[in-house]
Each structure stands twice: as structure tokens, then as C-alpha cells.
Amino acid sequence: MAKRRKKRDLVGTFAERFREALRSHEILLGGESVLLAVSGGVDSMLLLAAIDRIAPALNLTVAVAHFDHRLRAESGEDAEFVREQAHARQMKSYIGSADIKEIAREGGGSIEEVARRERYAFLERLARRHTFDVVMTGHTASDNAETLLINLMRGSGVTGLAGIPPTRRLGDSAILARPLLGFSADEVREIAERTALEWREDPSNGSAEFTRNRVRNELLPMMEGLHQGIVGTLNRTARLMLDVDRYLSNIVDAAVEGVRGTTSKGGDRVTLDVAMLRHLHAALRGEVLQRILSESFVLPPLPGGTIDRVLRLLWKETGARAPILGRIEALRDRDTLVLVRRPIVVRQVDRNFTPGEEIEVGNLVLTSEIIDGRPAFATDQQIEFVDAGDFSNQLVVRSWRDGDAFRPLGMKKGEKKVSDFLIDEKVPLDRKSEVLVITDADRIIWVCGMRIDERFRVKRTSKKILKLELRDG
């Protein structure tokens, strides 16, 4: 009898605290569409069971998402387990996957960082595509304590010490919520065991290969021996730092607006005003940079050493660089600090083609076409018309090289080095390596997207005209 009463008390207390977490953070008001991130582990399975239980009363539409990182041979079994659990509850399931090791190998970054990025990108895509109002994960107080310690060791600043926020934006429209943050991992496991919940154990959680596992399995138990209830203490610290972070947020927002310059269409390049960054208070500079990097490249709080390394570029010469994470780096370019994600493969192009042919050049498509009659000249810089009267039958598209020279359209005598032309055109330092040229033997016909050679311009006497177009593939 006492055991049954203890079980009822434990489960009843959990249900009450869970509902209070939803109320206090205004996570669910009723009628929302909810996407649950479910790994199959005990935390996410308890979250699934708890939401399933309250869904009818709150008129919730609930679906399940699982992301397979392919880090273990049996990871496909986890995906099938989650699919079955969703089906048993009459919930729709979405299964995504990626080869995390291969992505990390190609693009740089640790397996943990890449896995997190790909997982959240998957959840954001689902939320946007299927218009979910709320996305929930099963993070616990123990996860939060681990995150705070990891960020403390990395010197990640105020935002990092705030740990895992209970709610935040995910993309443009969805809220990302963590309603289990008030429960320790031990509490979650005990509740799951007492309610006969099914879940799968991830054997990689015991591996010392990952930093988080070492913090969970070695550091936190040692700290518990020194200070009983350390998880609760660290969570109280995180809540305090979250309040500080929110207080500073408006100041940081205003500073970000003053510092941030242009952002490329694909979001892989952001420019910052060096003078404005220099004039910020030293305590604010790092927070502003953290915010911009987090928003622009979807990064977790970065180590203090990384932030300091980037900020030192403010007092360096043009051309100085600093690595940030994986393919992301910072570059000093005149009066700007450029944050850029480099292409997975640096494009070094050297390819023959025949006029009239369409070819792929990296992630671009080059179209060439002999036309009849006078062309309708375009203002589009990706299209050019040239006199093909004395071309050979083989042209070359390639990356420009040191020593390349041509006569830019409008220049009547002599030649100009391509390197000097790019400087005059104020091509950013980090973009110069991407510039392509089209040549006939050793003669440059077109510096792609910028200028043709004067000697190949279309004249009244031109009898053979070649249309060139270079587009994203």
C-alpha cells in the first residue's frame, strides 16, 4: 500500500510540476500544433507520454520528429522504435537523417557541434513546412547543468552561463520549449521506471569521446561529492544569468544594429563596422559578436578564446584572418570585419568548353550560345555578349591567377592586371578567390560577372556573336 501511495505521489507531483512549467512559461495555452523531438531515450519518451496525456484537454495536435545522426550501426532501430511509439499514440512521425561524421569531416567542427546544428535545422524545416506552433525537446535540469559547466570551461560569456533557455524562437514562427528543465535526470528516470515507460538506451552516452559525456559521468558526480544538490545549484545560477542576459539584451540589440553592415543573400557572409565595434565598451564587444555569430550562422555560445581572437582583428591590417568554427572564419578587410562561411570546396576551376555548350562549373552553370542578329544588351551582370569572330573552337573557364591581365571595356590602350582591377572594383578580400575568367588561349574575354575585354566588345561589323551566361546551379 505504501509503495503504491509513493508511486501515485511521485507521478502526481510530476504531473503537477509539468503543468506548472507549461503555465509559467506560457508554452501551451490550448489549440496549438506541437512537434515533439523524440530520440527514443528516457527524457524524450517521458515528454512524449506527458504531452500525449494532456493533449485532449488542451486540444493539441501533436506530431513526433526523430533525427538519425548515423553515428551507430543500430541507430536505425531507434528511428523505428520512435515511429512505432508515435503510431501507437496515433501521432504522425517525421524521420530525418544525416551522416554527421561525413559532414564534420567535410565542413569542420566537432561531431557534437555538427550533430546539434543538423538536428535543429531539421526541426526548424519541419516547423516551417508544417506550420507547427511549438517544438519541444526533452532537456532536463541535468542537461542544463552540463551545458553551464561546458560553457564555463569554454569562457562563453553571459549567454553561455545562462545555460539552456526554457523557451526561445526557432525560425520565424515557432517557439522552441523545454518543459522538463525543472526535473533532474534521476527524477525523470525514476518516474519513467515507476510508470513502466518504454525507452531505448544509447550506448554512446557512456563514451568518453564526447565532452558532454565526461562532464555528465565524471565531473558532475565529483562535484556532487563536494556539494550535495549541485545540479539544483547550477540551475539556479543559470536562471540568474538568464535574467542578466535578458537585462543586457536590449543594450546588445541596439549595439548590434549599429555594428552590423550587410548580409549576403545566402546568409554566408556578414560585414561589421570596425570603427563602431572599437567604440563599444570592452564588456559589450564580446556579447555583440556572440549575438551576431549565433543569429547569422546558428551557432551555440562560442569559447571566449575564439571571441577574443576575432576581436583582435579590429587592430590588425587588411588580410588578417581568424578561424571561428569549422568553415566559418573572420577576415579584416579595410574598414570592415567580415564573418564568412567558406564553401565546402574552395573552387579552383580550369575547364575547357566549346562555344554553344552548357557546362557545370562547381555550383554554377555556364551557358554559351552563338546568336543571330544584334543582341538586346542586358543590364544583368551575369550575361555578356562578345564578338566571337576570331575565337578558337575551344574556350576555357578558370579561376583568375596572379599575373593575369586584360583591357577592361572602355580602356583604349594597354592592359590592367586582374588583381588591380579587383582592387579598383572593391571586391571583398574573401570573395576574390571566387572570381572566374573566360579565356581564348591566353587572352581574357570576360572577368565573369564584372567586365569584358575591350577587344572583344560587339561592334557594328561583328558577324559572329557569342552570348555568355553564368548562373547559380
Side-chain angles (χ1 to χ4, degrees), residues 36 38 40 74 155 185 204 208 225 269 275 289 292 331 362 368 390 396 451:
L36 302 178
V38 179
E74 66 274 17
S204 68
R269 185 178 187 275
L289 185 58
I292 292 171
L331 167 72
S368 58
D390 62 346
V396 176
R451 199 81 55 85

Side-chain angles (χ1 to χ4, degrees), residues 57-131:
L58 290 177
N59 190 30
L60 304 178
T61 302
V62 185
V64 169
H66 175 85
F67 190 75
D68 181 1
H69 304 95
R70 301 189 208 163
L71 294 174
R72 295 179 289 113
E74 66 274 17
S75 65
E77 297 174 14
D78 295 343
E80 188 54 36
F81 171 75
V82 171
R83 196 195 312 271
E84 290 171 356
Q85 292 292 321
H87 180 72
R89 293 170 170 83
Q90 296 182 317
M91 295 177 184
K92 190 166 186 177
S93 60
Y94 301 94
I95 309 297
S97 69
D99 189 338
I100 297 301
K101 285 185 178 178
E102 180 64 17
I103 294 171
R105 186 187 67 78
E106 287 186 353
S110 72
I111 288 176
E112 289 173 288
E113 290 159 347
V114 172
R116 177 188 180 277
R117 185 186 71 221
E118 294 296 319
R119 184 169 61 250
Y120 278 105
F122 169 65
L123 294 173
E124 184 179 349
R125 285 195 301 272
L126 287 178
R128 183 175 63 250
R129 190 176 301 150
H130 301 285
T131 62

Side-chain angles (χ1 to χ4, degrees), residues 38-50:
V38 179
S39 66
V42 63
D43 305 338
S44 61
M45 288 306 298
L46 182 60
L47 175 64
L48 173 60

Side-chain angles (χ1 to χ4, degrees), residues 217-231:
N217 300 325
E218 300 173 25
L219 181 57
L220 268 176
M222 184 185 72
M223 294 178 72
E224 180 68 24
L226 296 171
H227 181 88
Q228 191 173 5
I230 190 63
V231 168

Side-chain angles (χ1 to χ4, degrees), residues 79-261:
E80 188 54 36
F81 171 75
V82 171
R83 196 195 312 271
E84 290 171 356
Q85 292 292 321
H87 180 72
R89 293 170 170 83
Q90 296 182 317
M91 295 177 184
K92 190 166 186 177
S93 60
Y94 301 94
I95 309 297
S97 69
D99 189 338
I100 297 301
K101 285 185 178 178
E102 180 64 17
I103 294 171
R105 186 187 67 78
E106 287 186 353
S110 72
I111 288 176
E112 289 173 288
E113 290 159 347
V114 172
R116 177 188 180 277
R117 185 186 71 221
E118 294 296 319
R119 184 169 61 250
Y120 278 105
F122 169 65
L123 294 173
E124 184 179 349
R125 285 195 301 272
L126 287 178
R128 183 175 63 250
R129 190 176 301 150
H130 301 285
T131 62
F132 287 103
D133 301 306
V134 182
V135 177
M136 292 188 185
T137 69
H139 288 97
T140 67
S142 301
D143 295 316
N144 199 20
E146 294 160 15
T147 298
L148 187 152
L149 289 173
I150 290 169
N151 288 338
L152 177 65
M153 290 186 289
R154 288 154 54 105
S156 297
V158 174
T159 301
L161 295 179
I164 303 172
T167 61
R168 72 167 175 86
R169 274 285 185 210
L170 183 67
D172 296 329
S173 57
I175 296 294
L176 178 66
R178 285 84 172 222
L180 294 183
L181 276 184
F183 302 88
S184 70
D186 289 342
E187 288 179 301
V188 165
R189 184 171 288 270
E190 185 177 1
I191 294 163
E193 288 172 347
R194 288 181 178 272
T195 53
L197 198 66
E198 289 184 80
W199 71 86
R200 287 181 63 85
E201 295 286 357
D202 182 350
S204 68
N205 285 339
S207 169
E209 178 184 355
F210 303 117
T211 301
R212 183 173 289 273
N213 288 350
R214 296 194 64 187
V215 170
R216 177 185 303 135
N217 300 325
E218 300 173 25
L219 181 57
L220 268 176
M222 184 185 72
M223 294 178 72
E224 180 68 24
L226 296 171
H227 181 88
Q228 191 173 5
I230 190 63
V231 168
T233 300
L234 290 172
N235 273 264
R236 286 190 293 276
T237 301
R239 287 194 294 273
L240 175 62
M241 297 309 295
L242 182 60
D243 288 340
V244 173
D245 190 43
R246 286 172 174 168
Y247 175 77
L248 292 174
S249 184
N250 290 337
I251 301 171
V252 173
D253 285 345
V256 165
E257 289 305 308
V259 164
R260 185 158 42 195

